[in-house]
Amino acid sequence: MTRLNRFLSAACILLASSLAGIAAAQTPAPLPAAAFPLPLDKKMNMVRCTTCHDAHFQSGGNGMLLRSGDINALCTDCHTLADTASPAAHLDPSTGVLWPGPQYGTLFPRVTDTSQRGFCSNCHQAHGWPDEANAGQDYPSLLVNREENLCFACHDGSPAAKNVIASFAKSYRHPTTDYSNRHTTTEDGVAANFGTSNRHAECTDCHDAHVARADATAPVAPAAWNSIRGVSRIAVTNGAAGTAPAYTYRGPTDTTAPVAEYQLCFKCHSSWTTRPAGQSDLAVRFNTNNPSFHPVEGQGKNLNINVNSFVPGWNALRTTYCSDCHADNDASVRGPHGSQYRYLLKRPYVASGASRTTAATEACFDCHTFATYASTVSSDTVLGYSRFNRPGFEEGHSFHVVKKGAPCYACHDSHASSTKPHLIVTGRVPGLNSYTETATGGSCSPTCHGTQTYRINYAR
Ligand code: HEC
Ligand code: HEC
Ligand code: HEC
Ligand code: HEC
Ligand code: HEC
Ligand code: HEC
Ligand code: HEC
Ligand code: HEC
Ligand code: HEC
């Protein structure tokens, strides 16, 4: 009985007038009309035992004397779900899975009743469930485990196909497993809740378990996949180059276009909130009024780059996701969860201008052709796909990168530049002290030699 008593005090004694459907978490909705009678206590307007149970009789169902054997119908009689026409992966009555059994700390038993496929009851218990690690308490939100441990139960390779837990065990990862109890269901919309005094990134900061599902066809960057829809995000209106944009908070149910991946990242990686010392303000970096940027918020500024300077599938007209670069090194599990490489990159990258041999496995060559940018053994034709490789002249990419061991980092920023074209960066050592673009090429004064000019080998 203690469990029921706790439920009584925690969830039951709540005014039905404050009912907020999960699809409208921000605006309390009136109690929807009941498909079957769900009487509230007339005097106190409360959820009672008899709201869900019929003391005398249940036709069919699981023998729990519920007013409806269909637990989802029981719950959705009061809680609105975002999309019933194309249900979330977890709520699909035909493909949704059943809770696999006690693991990652909880003792909640395996759900064996196959009629509960896709039911709320695989993650929630109407009465709550005891938190093994905190005697006398239930897990929050009537869940059967806390935070990522709930998700790991299925997303460790079985029954869900992708082993996400392996990603979070890697050296560079979102700190999902590092903190508990920082995330709350009421934190949305308040920037300080994501800032330096409460830094965190739980699964539910990036995913909504009631909305997430696979895409029938892959969206085009920066449009968000269905897997990250239904979570709050930060939209931007860009001003002058190098300045922070105007921010608009968009709640979980706000589908105002665009619904973009970068807006999710900006919830924690822009000046909308506070970030650790030294971290870029990514919203300033990707401002589309900057002279150059990787095409995250929109198309880039250098659209006539020869298509052959890109690896097959990429070209200058394309847009990129943050997670085209920041992703698991194991390409079979998508998402910026964790990676064996620093900066949570899909491929390795050394953020230093120091002289070294650039390898074909590095981050940039996921999209830019290694043979064009970092090889001298390539033909003049292949080298010439880059404008900074004038055939017959030892001055361009291949000369610097291979012969002089100058890595991309010495001359380029990985994200953008708010003052220079071509992602050119000044002030790094070794690197460029200054750079000026001209109609036919450009000139620079590097830390390595005196001022030099170059000519481009095809029109910009
Ligand atoms: C919001 C709906 C809801 C309310 C309110 C509710 N229950 Fe339940 N109850 C359920 C559901 C759903 C189950 C079945 C759980 C399952 O099988 O996953 C259940 C199961 C039970 C069970 C059998 C399993 C167990 O946990 O021991 C008992 C006994 C029970 N409820 C008693 C009560 C009492 C007494 C109250 C009032 C204090 C109450 N319930 C209020 C939904 C509710
Ligand atoms: C008669 C209406 C009603 C039914 C049926 C109902 N709920 Fe609720 N539920 C509520 C109300 C009211 C609240 C409190 C909402 C608030 O605080 O704004 C609530 C709160 C919740 C919460 C949040 C608890 C917390 O700690 O924040 C969860 C989760 C939940 N319900 C799940 C369920 C599930 C699962 C079912 C089906 C077994 C269910 N509810 C059935 C009315 C209902
Ligand atoms: C795959 C697991 C899963 C399933 C299935 C699931 N939920 Fe949830 N639910 C969650 C998690 C996780 C949270 C906490 C969200 C957070 O941390 O922000 C939650 C939170 C909630 C809340 C509280 C929201 C708030 O703002 O406090 C309600 C209400 C709720 N769920 C209702 C339901 C109903 C109704 C169903 C079935 C139709 C359902 N859930 C099915 C995982 C699930
Ligand atoms: C009861 C098992 C179960 C639990 C618990 C669970 N999931 Fe899932 N989830 C699945 C299954 C099964 C799929 C369908 C895809 C698959 O088989 O991998 C899925 C799909 C998803 C997807 C969509 C993936 C896609 O195809 O793009 C996301 C995102 C997701 N889950 C996140 C979560 C999060 C976050 C939690 C914890 C709040 C969670 N899941 C808890 C079983 C579960
Ligand atoms: C074209 C590839 C690419 C894209 C797209 C990209 N990044 Fe990066 N990012 C990198 C590389 C490479 C580094 C390594 C460090 C460096 O070069 O400064 C990095 C570093 C970072 C860092 C740590 C260093 C810092 O600057 O604070 C953060 C945080 C980051 N990226 C977030 C993001 C976010 C958020 C997005 C999307 C809004 C994004 N990145 C898009 C390649 C990319
Ligand atoms: C910082 C944000 C963030 C966090 C935290 C996060 N995810 Fe993701 N996740 C994403 C993004 C973005 C994608 C989609 C990437 C894509 O489709 O390329 C994704 C994809 C997924 C997928 C689909 C993978 C596939 O290959 O189809 C699953 C399943 C998933 N996440 C589960 C989880 C679980 C479980 C947790 C917590 C343990 C979690 N995620 C934490 C951002 C996040
Ligand atoms: C809810 C907050 C949150 C969201 C949303 C989020 N992150 Fe993070 N991210 C963090 C935290 C916390 C860290 C750990 C370092 C820190 O505090 O910034 C981190 C670290 C990173 C790093 C490693 C930085 C480094 O210095 O090595 C990258 C890269 C990154 N995130 C990319 C992304 C991308 C891409 C997205 C969007 C798909 C995203 N993040 C969404 C909170 C978040
Ligand atoms: C996910 C694919 C992808 C990756 C990885 C990538 N790039 Fe790019 N890059 C692009 C695309 C697409 C463009 C074309 C944008 C345009 O036309 O302005 C581009 C353009 C550029 C430009 C020219 C920008 C201009 O305005 O002239 C430079 C310089 C550049 N990338 C450097 C790098 C470096 C250095 C790395 C590795 C740290 C890298 N890229 C990794 C996709 C990528
Ligand atoms: C010594 C400085 C330097 C280094 C090192 C360098 N770049 Fe560049 N890069 C430039 C300059 C200058 C331009 C501008 C060419 C122009 O005027 O259009 C450029 C342009 C580009 C472009 C735009 C398309 C084009 O014309 O080729 C890409 C993409 C690019 N660089 C990628 C890279 C990658 C990848 C690396 C590392 C393998 C790298 N660069 C290393 C100086 C450098």
Side-chain angles (χ1 to χ4, degrees):
M1 265 322 271
T2 42
R3 227 166 66 212
L4 288 180
N5 284 339
R6 269 203 309 280
F7 169 63
L8 264 174
S9 53
C12 226
I13 316 292
L14 287 162
L15 286 181
S17 56
S18 72
L19 171 69
I22 54 167
Q26 302 305 306
T27 24
L31 202 63
F36 34 80
L38 291 169
L40 296 175
D41 181 278
K42 289 281 179 301
K43 221 155 87 197
M44 301 182 71
N45 207 25
M46 285 173 183
V47 176
R48 292 292 198 194
C49 312
T50 49
T51 302
C52 301
H53 294 283
D54 189 318
H56 304 124
F57 174 72
Q58 176 179 14
S59 59
N62 61 356
M64 302 290 180
L65 292 175
L66 290 167
R67 287 187 172 274
S68 167
D70 181 341
I71 297 179
N72 265 17
L74 185 67
C75 312
T76 53
D77 205 59
C78 295
H79 296 285
T80 321
L81 282 177
D83 193 345
T84 41
S86 41
H90 299 130
L91 304 178
D92 194 307
S94 52
T95 57
V97 285
L98 299 170
W99 177 260
Q103 48 194 315
Y104 306 109
T106 181
L107 296 181
F108 184 57
R110 190 155 79 97
V111 176
T112 49
D113 172 6
T114 51
S115 74
Q116 292 197 36
R117 207 170 269 289
F119 276 13
C120 319
S121 44
N122 288 294
C123 294
H124 295 283
Q125 281 294 289
H127 302 167
W129 192 259
D131 180 345
E132 290 303 318
N134 295 284
Q137 285 179 40
D138 284 352
Y139 293 115
S141 300
L142 305 176
L143 289 165
V144 299
N145 206 344
R146 190 180 292 273
E147 297 182 350
E148 69 276 3
N149 289 333
L150 177 81
C151 318
F152 284 162
C154 297
H155 288 283
D156 58 358
S158 171
K162 304 294 175 68
N163 186 349
V164 174
I165 196 172
S167 310
F168 285 102
K170 297 190 171 177
S171 306
Y172 303 97
R173 54 178 191 261
H174 268 103
T176 306
T177 54
D178 301 359
Y179 308 116
S180 294
N181 304 330
R182 290 192 174 185
H183 167 93
T184 69
T185 53
T186 51
E187 71 184 2
D188 258 357
V190 181
N193 291 337
F194 302 92
T196 44
S197 61
N198 195 43
R199 228 38 200 158
H200 66 276
E202 295 303 333
C203 312
T204 50
D205 286 305
C206 298
H207 299 287
D208 185 334
H210 315 103
V211 176
R213 62 191 166 91
D215 294 280
T217 49
V220 173
W225 308 268
N226 287 333
S227 61
I228 56 166
R229 293 206 171 226
V231 286
S232 65
R233 59 195 209 282
I234 306 300
V236 293
T237 307
N238 288 313
T243 63
Y247 295 109
T248 308
Y249 165 75
R250 299 218 183 277
T253 58
D254 185 340
T255 53
T256 309
V259 181
E261 186 211 40
Y262 66 81
Q263 297 170 333
L264 169 64
C265 314
F266 287 176
K267 191 158 71 171
C268 301
H269 296 294
S270 76
S271 50
W272 181 71
T273 187
T274 50
R275 291 144 291 110
Q279 187 174 109
S280 314
D281 181 341
L282 276 308
V284 171
R285 306 304 292 146
F286 288 111
N287 181 338
T288 48
N289 293 323
N290 284 340
S292 61
F293 45 82
H294 266 118
V296 166
E297 288 183 28
Q299 218 170 42
K301 291 274 172 85
N302 193 356
L303 303 181
N304 198 34
I305 304 175
N306 189 314
V307 65
N308 296 311
S309 74
F310 289 94
V311 302
W314 285 97
N315 60 64
L317 303 179
R318 275 193 64 177
T319 41
T320 63
Y321 287 110
C322 305
S323 55
D324 281 326
C325 298
H326 295 288
D328 201 313
N329 56 289
D330 171 0
S332 73
V333 184
R334 291 154 52 204
H337 301 134
S339 169
Q340 73 181 73
Y341 302 120
R342 204 168 164 197
Y343 309 111
L344 222 164
L345 287 165
K346 188 171 161 187
R347 288 175 171 226
Y349 190 66
V350 184
S352 159
S355 180
R356 64 186 174 86
T357 303
T358 294
T361 49
E362 289 186 26
C364 312
F365 308 117
D366 210 26
C367 303
H368 300 286
T369 309
F370 176 77
T372 296
Y373 289 96
S375 171
T376 44
V377 297
S378 300
S379 66
D380 275 0
T381 309
V382 171
L383 294 177
Y385 296 143
S386 166
R387 294 193 188 89
F388 188 44
N389 265 344
R390 192 149 54 119
F393 287 79
E394 290 211 321
E395 61 183 19
H397 277 119
S398 60
F399 172 76
H400 285 95
V401 176
V402 185
K403 287 215 168 148
K404 296 294 168 194
C408 318
Y409 188 87
C411 302
H412 294 294
D413 189 271
S414 306
H415 293 137
S417 171
S418 51
T419 54
K420 303 270 185 297
H422 316 304
L423 275 56
I424 295 283
V425 64
T426 55
R428 287 179 180 165
V429 183
L432 307 174
N433 292 322
S434 70
Y435 172 82
T436 313
E437 190 188 65
T438 65
T440 55
S443 71
C444 66
S445 5
T447 58
C448 319
H449 55 74
T451 304
Q452 294 279 352
T453 59
Y454 70 91
R455 288 176 71 89
I456 46 171
N457 62 333
Y458 64 91
R460 287 201 190 93

